[in-house]
Amino acid sequence: TSRRKDAAWAQAYLERMTRVVLRDRNQPCVILWSLGNEASCGPNIDAMATWTRAVDPTRAVQYESCGGGKATDIICPMYPTPAQLAALTSLQEQNKRSAVFWRRWPASSASDLRPVIPCEYAHAMNNSLGNLDDFWRVIRSHRVTQGGFIWDWVDQGLLKESAEGESFWAYGGDFGEVVHDRNFCINGIVFPDRTLHPGAHQVKRSLQFISIEIEWAPAADNISRHIGATA
């Protein structure tokens, strides 16, 4: 939005951040600060980052919409491909002006590689998460790739009974409303009652701490086994 650059909105932007930090800075579960989500970048966002780092230098600051800009300590794109994720392990790619991830990232002059942690990299709607292993092969191959966040944890449905007396998880449109987001709140890896989606088993498999690889050399009729920790 244009407000990110509008000086008339600078104080409103800053107050939004100061209130959050001053409220939650003594909570040990807070491990980093986010400046917001999908709101583009500009001087008002940069001012939020500058103030936050000065008040709490013990925690990192992350912001997706500025790419590798100065407002973020973490490179945290939305929905990169595995190849794009691997490319972001390069300092040149982290600092490059880009519009690859549906945002206009500014150029940066950072001198050190930053951690790469996609703030969303898998969308758990319907029959999904089948390519999670492709991401984790990249993540485990580079020191700066440190995992990512799945959208999202739990289906946000409500238990309802049909005219036939059958119970089901209801979502947008099931309550007679005209304006709704259909099933867009049904995208977790667990159902509303916390039972597992099939995709949850894929997540468990991809994130397991032990990997086993078997290599077979036909000419030598030899099989070698590699077992290693993946944490």
Side-chain angles (χ1 to χ4, degrees):
T1 71
S2 61
R3 296 183 182 92
R4 72 190 187 277
K5 301 185 290 186
D6 189 340
W9 283 82
Q11 188 62 28
Y13 271 68
L14 190 59
E15 284 184 5
R16 180 182 179 276
M17 197 67 201
T18 60
R19 290 173 179 175
V20 170
V21 173
L22 295 178
R23 182 192 68 190
D24 294 338
R25 61 182 172 178
N26 291 324
Q27 301 292 341
C29 62
V30 176
I31 61 173
L32 56 85
W33 299 111
S34 172
L35 302 181
N37 184 52
E38 299 183 29
S40 196
C41 58
N44 293 343
I45 299 290
D46 292 342
M48 294 165 68
T50 299
W51 181 90
T52 303
R53 291 185 181 116
V55 171
D56 182 8
T58 69
R59 293 181 175 97
V61 173
Q62 74 91 26
Y63 184 58
E64 170 266 339
S65 293
C66 73
K70 62 183 180 181
T72 189
D73 301 319
I74 298 169
I75 306 299
C76 47
M78 282 190 178
Y79 302 110
T81 65
Q84 290 168 336
L85 184 63
L88 288 172
T89 62
S90 154
L91 181 61
Q92 180 180 357
E93 289 295 317
Q94 290 191 4
N95 285 340
K96 187 170 70 175
R97 183 186 300 275
S98 173
V100 171
F101 300 105
W102 310 286
R103 306 275 188 272
R104 289 188 175 89
W105 286 11
S108 177
S109 58
S111 58
D112 296 316
L113 275 172
R114 283 166 283 182
V116 181
I117 310 173
C119 63
E120 296 177 34
Y121 77 119
H123 198 278
M125 181 180 279
N126 301 325
N127 184 21
S128 56
L129 304 179
N131 69 336
L132 209 59
D133 279 347
D134 296 337
F135 286 97
W136 277 88
R137 275 190 286 272
V138 173
I139 291 168
R140 292 189 171 110
S141 299
H142 302 275
R143 184 171 180 269
V144 295
T145 45
Q146 299 177 11
F149 294 89
I150 296 172
W151 187 270
D152 52 21
W153 163 241
V154 60
D155 287 348
Q156 298 168 64
L158 299 173
L159 192 62
K160 194 177 181 195
E161 192 172 281
S162 70
E164 293 76 27
E166 296 182 352
S167 297
F168 67 98
W169 297 116
Y171 48 82
D174 288 330
F175 301 91
E177 70 275 32
V178 177
V179 179
H180 56 80
D181 287 330
R182 303 182 302 281
N183 64 334
F184 215 77
C185 59
I186 305 294
N187 51 13
I189 62 173
V190 297
F191 290 99
D193 63 356
R194 277 40 175 189
T195 54
L196 300 180
H197 278 206
H201 298 282
Q202 175 64 55
V203 175
K204 181 180 179 180
R205 167 65 178 78
S206 297
L207 272 60
Q208 67 185 0
F209 295 128
I210 299 294
S211 67
I212 300 175
E213 298 178 5
I214 298 178
E215 296 179 359
W216 175 42
D221 195 22
N222 179 47
I223 297 176
S224 61
R225 299 171 179 82
H226 305 281
I227 301 176
T230 61

